[in-house]
Amino acid sequence: MSFIQRAVRNPSRLRNLSVRRLATSAESTGLSFSLTEEQAGIQDLARKFSREHIVPVAAEYDRTMEYPWPIIKAAHEVGLLNTHIPEAYGGPGLGLFECALISEELAYGCTGIQTAIEANGLAEAPVIVAGSEETKKKYLGRMTEEPLVAAYCVTEPGAGSDVAAIKTRAEKKGDKWVLNGSKMWITNSGHANWFFVLAKSDPGAKPHSSMTGFVVDANTPGIIVGKKEINMGQRCSDTRMVTFENVEVPEENVLGSVGEGFKVAMKAFDITRPLVASGAVGLAQRALEEATKYAQERKHKRQTMGVPIIQHQAVAFMLADMAIQAEASRALVWKAAWAKDAGLKNTFYASMAKTLASRTAVENADKAVQIFGGAGFNTEYPVEKLYRDAKIFELYE
């Protein structure tokens, strides 16, 4: 008779074993969902910053579409910008897990503002992954000295998720590389101090070895930054086309080896996808809390069908589903971040976290609007912005 069969015949045996295992699991396996004192402090700092600096102004930034420089500068001042730059280059050197805690809290306040902040990490990731010591000191170091932003230039008008289809060319001429091509939907590009640029250096080679990554100063002659694109959501995030016309880049600004740009970009995604996913979790959590609060407040104001809306099973089931998906998404983000910090390959979990959290953000925002009813369609309430902001999570990164 198997252990399971014996346990089924004697349920108390299974219950007692479960209790003992739960009591000793943290000690015996190291598994724990509790935060360390330091992690809890980081989360609390980001949560307080989001509630005090972002939530009160998020709707106004959405309306004006102005770039949130004051908030970015404030985030830099308290240490919430460039959080995964190593200490050797002036950063706090936080792990990916701690960075994910911060991203969720900032996104709770406004994902447009969080995207502007997090885009720095996206641009910096290839430098951290493949930059020489000199390049890291030069480009990461300056980001910690003053509140600057950088941009990640990979997507093109005809190449989004299909990175291998990019057309931007990099040709070696003497001791320099010359870049020609256009990038599209580039976050922070209108304010960037420098760009990470992925370009085809050997069009005849196989896709995975045909590209090279470069760091390019934004003031380099030949760079043309287009108009700010007016998007459905995340409207204070600065998104533009960037064109490179005979832009000269010195050899020392090549990241890694020539032909390894695709690998560098993919390694960067192992860092950034969990952070984008954590932003989606922040939005999903905000949608859940706003919908719950509204349903509870309506209990004291008026009834529908003779009962408060919080007592309708249709509403209760939506709130339950929203909570389930937010918790599941957060757990997957945490696993992806933990794996990276543990030195394990996290590509699989990073992609899963991004997929699930993005879907959850969209679905939770949709349910929040539904629970608000007609009020959810109005700009006086926060959930219509959440609805517009959420969709991009299923499209980028």
Side-chain angles (χ1 to χ4, degrees):
M1 184 180 296
S2 71
F3 168 77
I4 294 297
Q5 289 174 320
R6 290 196 301 272
V8 168
R9 289 192 175 188
N10 185 6
S12 62
R13 172 186 170 89
L14 188 59
R15 284 196 298 271
N16 292 337
L17 180 62
S18 298
V19 170
R20 291 199 300 273
R21 283 183 173 172
L22 285 171
T24 61
S25 61
E27 293 84 355
S28 61
T29 70
L31 178 63
S32 173
F33 285 98
S34 63
L35 302 180
T36 66
E37 184 177 350
E38 180 182 3
Q39 290 166 342
I42 291 170
Q43 183 186 56
D44 185 63
L45 172 65
R47 182 170 294 171
K48 184 178 180 181
F49 182 88
S50 182
R51 271 54 166 190
E52 293 181 359
H53 292 271
I54 300 179
V55 172
V57 299
E60 181 65 11
Y61 274 108
D62 180 65
R63 186 184 67 80
T64 65
M65 295 183 279
E66 293 180 4
Y67 192 68
W69 266 123
I71 296 177
I72 290 173
K73 292 176 180 178
H76 182 272
E77 186 176 343
V78 299
L80 294 175
L81 196 64
N82 310 309
T83 51
H84 58 266
I85 290 181
E87 292 183 39
Y89 312 108
L94 297 183
L96 190 57
F97 187 90
E98 288 77 22
C99 293
L101 295 176
I102 293 171
S103 287
E104 178 181 338
E105 297 302 332
L106 298 182
Y108 179 98
C110 174
T111 57
I113 293 172
Q114 181 264 342
T115 293
I117 291 173
E118 192 53 54
N120 259 18
L122 177 58
E124 293 159 356
V127 180
I128 293 172
V129 167
S132 65
E133 188 67 17
E134 293 73 18
T135 300
K136 290 177 181 178
K137 287 180 179 178
K138 181 178 180 180
Y139 290 98
L140 298 180
R142 72 172 66 166
M143 304 299 285
T144 64
E145 293 168 359
E146 58 180 306
L148 301 174
V149 295
Y152 183 89
C153 295
V154 172
T155 300
E156 298 185 359
S161 299
D162 184 10
V163 176
I166 65 170
K167 303 296 183 185
T168 297
R169 290 288 306 276
E171 297 181 83
K172 186 70 179 293
K173 293 186 178 181
D175 61 348
K176 298 182 184 298
W177 289 85
V178 179
L179 305 184
N180 281 283
S182 294
K183 299 295 184 177
M184 190 61 190
W185 313 116
I186 307 305
T187 303
N188 282 353
S189 54
H191 305 273
N193 180 267
W194 54 268
F195 302 102
F196 165 74
V197 182
L198 189 65
K200 281 280 181 73
S201 52
D202 185 0
K206 293 181 178 180
H208 291 185
S209 57
S210 66
M211 307 172 211
T212 300
F214 303 86
V215 181
V216 184
D217 286 291
N219 61 0
T220 306
I223 295 178
I224 303 169
V225 179
K227 66 178 179 64
K228 174 183 168 67
E229 299 295 332
I230 309 303
N231 297 321
M232 179 173 77
Q234 299 196 4
R235 290 185 166 181
C236 68
S237 173
D238 184 80
T239 308
R240 304 172 189 249
M241 175 182 280
V242 182
T243 301
F244 300 86
E245 293 186 355
N246 295 317
V247 175
E248 294 186 349
V249 182
E251 176 70 28
E252 59 264 26
N253 280 30
V254 171
L255 290 181
S257 301
V258 173
E260 291 188 348
F262 183 85
K263 295 177 182 178
V264 170
M266 294 303 103
K267 288 180 180 179
F269 283 146
D270 290 345
I271 297 172
T272 60
R273 279 182 175 152
L275 300 180
V276 171
S278 64
V281 172
L283 188 150
Q285 184 67 34
R286 177 73 181 277
L288 168 63
E289 292 183 15
E290 293 290 351
T292 302
K293 181 172 65 175
Y294 184 80
Q296 290 174 333
E297 287 177 352
R298 292 275 294 230
K299 178 178 181 180
H300 305 292
K301 292 182 179 179
R302 75 179 182 88
Q303 299 180 337
T304 60
M305 315 302 178
V307 297
I309 66 170
I310 192 70
Q311 293 182 17
H312 287 298
Q313 274 196 333
V315 172
F317 286 166
M318 282 193 284
L319 291 171
D321 286 340
M322 291 166 74
I324 290 167
Q325 292 303 107
E327 287 290 338
S329 298
R330 182 180 295 109
L332 199 47
V333 168
W334 284 19
K335 183 167 187 176
W338 167 84
K340 182 66 175 176
D341 289 340
L344 305 174
K345 186 173 178 58
N346 75 331
T347 304
F348 180 64
Y349 294 114
S351 299
M352 289 175 66
K354 164 63 171 58
T355 300
L356 179 61
S358 298
R359 184 187 306 148
T360 297
V362 171
E363 291 178 353
N364 275 22
D366 178 69
K367 287 183 172 68
V369 171
Q370 194 67 36
I371 290 170
F372 271 69
F377 196 67
N378 189 275
T379 58
E380 293 297 316
Y381 294 88
V383 293
E384 68 86 26
K385 177 181 181 297
L386 297 179
Y387 187 87
R388 289 185 288 106
D389 288 348
K391 186 59 185 177
I392 189 61
F393 283 106
E394 292 188 320
L395 302 176
Y396 63 12
E397 197 72 11

